[in-house]
Amino acid sequence: MLVANRGEIALRIIRTARASGLRTVAVYSEADAAMPHAAAADEARPIGPAEALHSYLNGPAIIEAALASGADAIHPGYGFLSESAQFAAAVTKAGLTFVGPPPEVLSAAGDKVGARRLAQRVGVPVVPGTETADLATARSFAALNGYPIMIKAAAGGGGRGIRVVSDESELGAALDAAAREAQAAFKDGRLFLEKYLPAPRHVEVQVLGDARGRVITLGERECSMQRRHQKIIEESPSPALTPALRARMVEAAAALASAVGYRNAGTVEFLVDGEGFYFLEINARLQVEHPITELRFDCDLVAMQLGLAAGESLSELPPPRGHAIECRIYAEDASKDFRPAAGPVLHLQLPGGPGIRVDTFLTPGIEIGTHYDGLLAKLIAWGSDREQARRRALGALDEFMLTGVLHTASFLRAVVASEPFARGQFSTRFVSEFLPQWRPAEESIKAAALLAARVAHGRPVSASAADRGAADRRPRSPWEALGAFRLGNRS
Ligand code: ADP
Ligand code: ADP
Ligand code: MG
């Protein structure tokens, strides 16, 4: 099987493929020749230059690599070509198995306007909205529903093409900008409008469908912790749902999946507002946050995808156990509005211990660039209840150490430690409201101290060694060499 992706998701898929007895083929761009995913597969093939458009989005080059290596299946991962009906059709036409839904399902799910129409047809509520978005339509929609309104790309994903407009004077410029962004990102500039809900929660349901038309659901994921309309912390189950609301949402997700003839793994996303919920979109692929579902249901969703692609039938899984939380660490500067960051991986320490899973491609020596999505690592914590999972997540974020490239672990730690998160009471607004109160200084100093210590020592220094440094009077102590300072108590 060829894995048409990079980063943590390529490694994660290669691992399951290998455990399932498959030989694996990786593909890599010129920027990624030294990346771990290329080394992890049985075979690796170059597919083009760094720009994703000419490599990871280059369908013909990927299919050619698959045929040349004798692969008989392609797993697209998430992002890139994973939801491209055209790519899935080309893969099938080349005599290969596409590990995902068939092209018809990808087309139906990928068009948000069409998916909204389908939801309405099967009786699933949608946010009040339109099917097009020219200036006149937008003006009359706003006159009817009031501002703010949300502009969205019909082909959108990953938070791109979205604009919130709170005043008529911004409308024209926002429509132009959104259309340009959508055209550039998705080669499809079609827009539509939705009423903007001020403080909803994002809750989604995992679905799986087999070739015989059976659909099962694997619980929900709470994904309200977002920046730029993209998730950074997810958990399962959602602390916001009553059993009655959960049952209604699961039923709605299953009805929609059945109505599109869903096959393989996918996600139905909703906004929750009080006791009401609204359909958002169908993501016809494996989701970044799938590990929290795996930990609760003790399953391997990639293995299930492989089974479904091979024509196997679904059966119900045993009920879920406990609670799981995922923290996504990005190469970004949280203190500068999550601006993308780049740099080498110098010192790295990954967490471990009971209930902790780390999905990452980080390894010392590699260079993090800005060509691709900045996701560096996912720290996933399982606990028998929410508080145990939360404490384990805090411990994992404390243990996580990475110098050389700015990242968001200390911001995530502050969020997970915050009172609203501990209580489970937050909406999609939380991150933007919390960010201005956050003080990154102490964490940055700690990271700088570790880097300085590493330079002085000429080798990696662990966080605990750095903390002991102040009391350490040996001549080689980095604290001696640098005019030591220490965070926390003096000893
Ligand atoms: P999830 O909903 O699984 O958490 P995200 O929205 O965070 O997914 O996106 C996961 C990855 O896929 C990111 O790299 C994002 O930029 C990319 N992505 C999502 N949707 C699309 C799309 N329609 N086209 C291209 N890339 C996408
Ligand atoms: P994408 O395809 O980029 O993931 P979504 O439609 O799933 O786009 O929306 C992404 C995020 O934007 C949601 O998780 C939510 O936080 C926010 N959002 C989307 N629609 C609305 C809305 N009508 N009102 C308020 N927030 C919204
Ligand atoms: Mg979405």
Side-chain angles (χ1 to χ4, degrees):
M1 183 171 76
L2 181 142
V3 180
N5 218 296
R6 64 183 303 281
E8 63 89 18
I9 194 59
L11 286 175
R12 191 256 166 276
I13 294 163
I14 289 168
R15 286 194 174 110
T16 287
R18 180 162 294 150
S20 311
L22 299 179
R23 270 180 55 80
T24 54
V25 183
V27 292
Y28 60 93
S29 71
E30 275 166 22
D32 278 353
M35 282 293 163
H37 79 273
D42 295 306
E43 190 182 328
R45 291 183 175 257
I47 45 164
E51 300 81 72
L53 190 63
H54 303 296
S55 49
Y56 298 105
L57 289 170
N58 184 348
I62 291 168
I63 291 170
E64 198 184 301
L67 295 173
S69 61
D72 31 39
I74 295 184
H75 194 306
Y78 55 68
F80 295 131
L81 293 168
S82 59
E83 293 176 273
S84 164
Q86 199 193 340
F87 179 66
V91 169
T92 311
K93 195 161 164 239
L96 307 167
T97 301
F98 179 77
V99 183
E104 319 79 83
V105 172
L106 290 172
S107 309
D111 180 348
K112 292 190 182 194
V113 173
R116 274 171 60 92
R117 209 180 286 163
L118 185 74
Q120 285 167 295
R121 204 170 72 220
V122 297
V124 174
V126 298
V127 188
T130 64
E131 298 204 338
T132 55
D134 53 74
L135 195 54
T137 310
R139 281 216 178 100
S140 56
F141 179 73
L144 203 65
N145 293 279
Y147 285 94
I149 61 173
M150 198 172 216
I151 304 172
K152 287 187 173 182
R160 279 176 295 170
I162 289 182
R163 288 282 185 294
V164 180
V165 181
S166 33
D167 189 90
E168 169 134 10
S169 63
E170 304 162 9
L171 198 52
L175 285 168
D176 290 345
R180 269 199 310 275
E181 190 173 318
Q183 184 64 40
F186 314 113
K187 296 199 190 104
D188 181 346
R190 285 178 306 131
L191 303 175
F192 67 105
L193 305 169
E194 276 180 9
K195 183 180 166 64
Y196 180 72
L197 306 180
R201 298 181 71 128
H202 173 121
V203 180
E204 59 187 31
V205 176
Q206 175 72 52
V207 299
L208 292 151
D210 68 19
R212 299 190 350 218
R214 171 136 206 234
V215 167
I216 67 165
T217 58
L218 293 185
E220 84 280 10
R221 293 182 289 252
E222 158 77 57
C223 311
S224 299
M225 286 296 177
Q226 305 181 350
R227 55 96 184 77
R228 289 195 290 269
H229 309 296
Q230 201 193 30
K231 304 151 192 171
I232 54 176
I233 300 175
E234 306 94 346
E235 60 181 302
S236 182
S238 165
L241 300 190
T242 59
L245 183 53
R246 174 174 296 116
R248 281 162 56 214
M249 291 178 67
V250 164
E251 196 189 327
L256 254 169
S258 297
V260 282
Y262 204 86
R263 302 252 207 97
N264 216 276
T267 295
V268 183
E269 295 189 332
F270 298 98
L271 291 181
V272 173
D273 202 9
E275 277 296 298
F277 69 92
Y278 306 93
F279 168 73
L280 257 190
E281 63 162 341
I282 300 172
N283 285 331
R285 56 175 158 90
L286 188 67
Q287 204 95 339
V288 178
E289 58 274 20
H290 73 277
I292 54 177
T293 301
E294 294 184 325
L295 292 189
R296 275 188 79 217
F297 283 85
D298 192 21
C299 68
D300 179 337
L301 283 167
V302 174
M304 293 171 87
Q305 286 190 295
L306 297 180
L308 289 166
E312 285 172 17
S313 300
L314 281 167
S315 44
E316 244 8 279
L317 291 188
R321 292 163 40 249
H323 199 100
I325 300 175
E326 172 180 279
C327 300
R328 300 190 193 182
I329 299 171
Y330 280 87
E332 288 173 4
D333 185 350
S335 70
K336 302 253 159 47
D337 218 13
F338 300 98
R339 181 194 294 170
V345 175
L346 293 177
H347 174 70
L348 175 70
Q349 175 183 293
L350 296 175
I356 298 298
R357 163 172 164 183
V358 182
D359 280 18
T360 186
F361 65 103
L362 290 176
T363 184
I366 62 170
E367 194 74 31
I368 305 301
T370 49
H371 284 293
Y372 314 108
D373 187 80
L375 180 61
L376 296 176
K378 306 189 301 202
L379 309 188
I380 309 118
W382 181 89
S384 53
D385 59 25
R386 186 173 189 269
E387 186 55 13
Q388 187 183 45
R390 193 182 72 89
R391 288 186 179 280
R392 284 177 171 172
L394 281 175
L397 287 162
D398 281 338
E399 275 182 50
F400 181 86
M401 284 285 158
L402 166 62
T403 57
V405 56
L406 284 172
H407 59 82
T408 54
S410 60
F411 177 75
L412 296 173
R413 197 214 182 271
V415 172
V416 175
S418 74
E419 188 59 35
F421 187 85
R423 280 189 277 112
Q425 286 169 3
F426 49 86
S427 75
T428 55
R429 263 161 62 161
F430 182 83
V431 170
S432 60
E433 290 172 353
F434 182 74
L435 188 59
Q437 319 159 22
W438 175 60
R439 293 278 164 275
E442 191 165 295
E443 287 303 322
S444 316
I445 291 169
K446 196 167 164 187
L450 277 170
L451 185 58
R454 180 184 183 277
V455 172
H457 253 346
R459 63 177 173 78
V461 175
S462 73
S464 55
D467 282 342
R468 282 197 304 273
D472 181 356
R473 293 289 161 224
R474 287 172 304 171
R476 288 284 291 155
S477 164
W479 309 104
E480 289 294 299
L482 295 167
F485 61 92
R486 169 180 174 155
L487 294 171
N489 296 334
R490 282 166 192 279
S491 56

